[in-house]
């Protein structure tokens, strides 16, 4: 791809990820104070199983048709995760939690390195890989999935349908434009981002979905307090990056993180404690766990990677993959003291069975930078032994031969 075309398409993609996401309704009239939604509130479904949020005459009928077209694109997208075990694991949790609505909801895991999941009125749920790497146990993930199921059962998509139709129509036009200039991959990611931007529910709807999600945790024996910890973790990540939370357009219509944390912590104290199921979660996403850590490292947001890695290490001390992610983020950031901290993390990583081959590469490059050539050669040779088809194998072999 030429630089000219790359620049043109990059600008178009930024429009999809930035300008169109900014079209999410801001709901200026919604109350900002807690509404008292809790255990006594009636949050029974507003639609019936199989109804797909109403008849063909309701305002969302056209939106559902548009979502059906988007879903067909996501089904064949290169960004869709197709590994069987993780799809069975995540999809199985959605099916169990959805209950009588299980046959209505179809779950797609997509490769986007941000904390999000979305639920469309046609039953399409997207779970982003950035969510999976930020959760460290099943209860945290299930809280988000239950929240999205709540949006579906309460038919929240009926609100703001005009804005969503406009966003979807713009997205379809942009996808066609990207496809016309040979950018099918960017058109795919535009489709994924558009479905995220198209469902900015009002704050009352978000509060209802939070309550439904935490009830589902309790009903399925999972720890309700982990719903609150999700928002504490996101707040910690934004603070580590030095960014105000308001910079996230995907959450512009949501209650504040502080409100959600307070409300969910209070509700958790009223519900059975449940289990986190951390080991079950790590096993369930094991097929893609290395990839989603690498995906996070490639974002270049080292402060976020360090927070995420430390969160996994708090759950699984000595975990080789998390130690590698921490060490690599420190090596790449290269601030004062980072080399020494990276060496400690990477030395721990290669001692654990969960360490990826890239841990030896990262440690070898760090040792070489520090002038420790003999140690570097041993580490890089071990990397090549573990990853004989690595894309940088020829370059490294020439380097080692010299």
């Amino acid at each position: 791809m030429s630089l000219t075309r790359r620049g043109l398409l990059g600008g178009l993609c930024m429009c999809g990820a930035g300008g169109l996401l900014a079209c999410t309704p801001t709901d200026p009239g919604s109350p900002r104070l807690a509404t008292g939604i809790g255990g006594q509130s009636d949050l029974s479904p507003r639609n019936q199983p199989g109804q797909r949020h109403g008849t063909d005459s309701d305002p969302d009928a056209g939106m559902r048709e548009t979502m059906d077209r988007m879903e067909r694109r996501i089904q064949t997208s290169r960004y869709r995760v197709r590994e069987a075990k993780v799809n069975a694991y995540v999809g199985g949790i959605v099916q169990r939690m959805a209950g009588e609505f299980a046959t209505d909801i179809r779950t797609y895991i997509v490769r986007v390195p941000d904390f999000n999941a979305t639920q469309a009125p046609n039953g399409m749920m997207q779970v982003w890989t950035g969510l999976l790497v930020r959760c460290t146990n099943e209860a945290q993930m299930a809280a988000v999935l239950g929240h999205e199921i709540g949006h579906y059962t309460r038919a929240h998509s009926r609100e703001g349908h005009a804005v969503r139709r406009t966003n979807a129509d713009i997205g379809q036009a942009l996808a066609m434009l990207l496809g016309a200039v040979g950018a099918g991959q960017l058109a795919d990611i535009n489709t994924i981002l558009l479905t995220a931007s198209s469902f900015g529910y009002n704050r009352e709807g978000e509060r209802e979905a939070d309550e439904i999600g935490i009830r589902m945790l309790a009903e399925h024996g999972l720890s309700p307090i982990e719903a609150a910890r999700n928002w504490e973790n996101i707040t910690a990540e934004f603070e580590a990056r030095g960014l105000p939370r308001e910079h996230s357009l995907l959450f512009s219509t949501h209650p504040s993180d502080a409100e959600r944390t307070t409300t969910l912590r209070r509700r958790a104290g009223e519900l059975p404690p449940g289990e986190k199921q951390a080991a079950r979660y790590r096993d369930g996403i094991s097929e893609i766990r290395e990839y989603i850590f690498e995906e996070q490292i490639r974002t270049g947001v080292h402060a976020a990677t360090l927070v995420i890695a430390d969160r996994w290490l708090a759950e699984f001390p000595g975990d080789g993959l998390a130690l590698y992610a921490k060490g690599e983020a420190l090596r790449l950031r290269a601030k004062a003291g980072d080399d020494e901290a990276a060496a400690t993390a990477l030395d721990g990583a290669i001692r654990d069975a969960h360490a990826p081959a890239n841990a030896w590469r990262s440690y070898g490059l760090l040792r070489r930078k520090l002038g420790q050539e003999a140690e570097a050669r041993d580490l890089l040779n071990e990397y090549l032994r573990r990853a004989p088809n690595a894309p940088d194998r020829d370059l490294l072999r020439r380097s080692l031969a010299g």
Side-chain angles (χ1 to χ4, degrees), residues 19-186:
L20 291 176
L21 288 179
C23 293
T24 304
T26 56
D27 187 29
S30 292
R32 291 183 175 273
L33 299 176
T35 61
I37 292 173
Q40 304 305 312
S41 303
D42 180 9
L43 298 179
S44 55
R46 289 176 176 159
N47 62 309
Q48 298 300 315
Q51 188 177 359
R52 295 188 62 190
H53 287 203
T55 66
D56 289 342
S57 63
D58 81 30
D60 257 358
M63 184 62 182
R64 288 198 306 274
E65 291 176 5
T66 301
M67 288 295 105
D68 286 344
R69 291 194 294 272
M70 287 188 170
E71 182 173 0
R72 287 192 291 271
R73 189 173 192 96
I74 288 172
Q75 286 171 344
T76 60
S77 170
R78 69 186 293 267
Y79 293 101
R80 180 184 172 191
V81 172
R82 289 178 167 79
E83 283 80 358
K85 180 179 178 180
V86 68
N87 274 285
Y89 173 64
V90 176
I93 293 172
V94 171
Q95 296 295 293
R96 290 193 298 275
M97 295 179 74
E100 60 182 349
F101 291 92
T103 58
D104 291 5
I105 299 177
R106 299 166 304 285
T107 306
Y108 301 93
I109 304 172
V110 292
R111 300 180 189 274
V112 182
D114 204 354
F115 179 93
N116 201 33
T118 65
Q119 179 67 62
N122 71 336
M124 171 180 58
M125 180 187 289
Q126 286 187 46
V127 178
W128 289 6
T129 48
L131 167 66
L132 299 183
V133 79
R134 284 168 171 80
C135 295
T136 58
N137 59 61
E138 187 174 296
Q140 289 174 0
M141 180 183 69
V144 179
L145 302 183
H147 174 102
E148 297 303 325
I149 295 167
H151 282 313
Y152 186 84
T153 62
R154 292 290 287 172
H156 288 153
S157 65
R158 290 176 185 167
E159 303 159 2
H161 60 272
V163 175
R164 287 193 296 276
R165 279 207 306 271
T166 299
N167 274 3
D169 289 344
I170 293 171
Q172 289 288 297
L174 182 54
M176 290 174 63
L177 174 61
L178 290 168
V181 295
Q185 295 176 4
L186 293 181

Side-chain angles (χ1 to χ4, degrees), residues 115 144 147 210 226-236 245 251 254 256-258 260-261 264:
F115 179 93
V144 179
H147 174 102
D210 277 352
E226 297 302 312
R229 289 192 176 126
N230 276 334
W231 301 108
E232 292 172 346
N233 291 340
I234 290 300
T235 298
R245 177 70 160 133
F251 296 94
H254 291 210
S256 71
D257 292 353
R260 297 179 98 156
T261 300
L264 290 169

Side-chain angles (χ1 to χ4, degrees), residues 207-247:
R207 294 181 181 109
E208 287 188 358
D210 277 352
E211 173 61 23
I212 291 170
I214 200 169
R215 289 183 191 182
M216 286 183 174
L217 291 182
E219 288 168 6
H220 289 82
L222 294 170
S223 173
I225 195 61
E226 297 302 312
R229 289 192 176 126
N230 276 334
W231 301 108
E232 292 172 346
N233 291 340
I234 290 300
T235 298
E237 183 177 326
F238 270 72
E239 289 175 349
R241 296 174 60 186
L243 294 175
R245 177 70 160 133
E246 290 73 16
H247 280 198

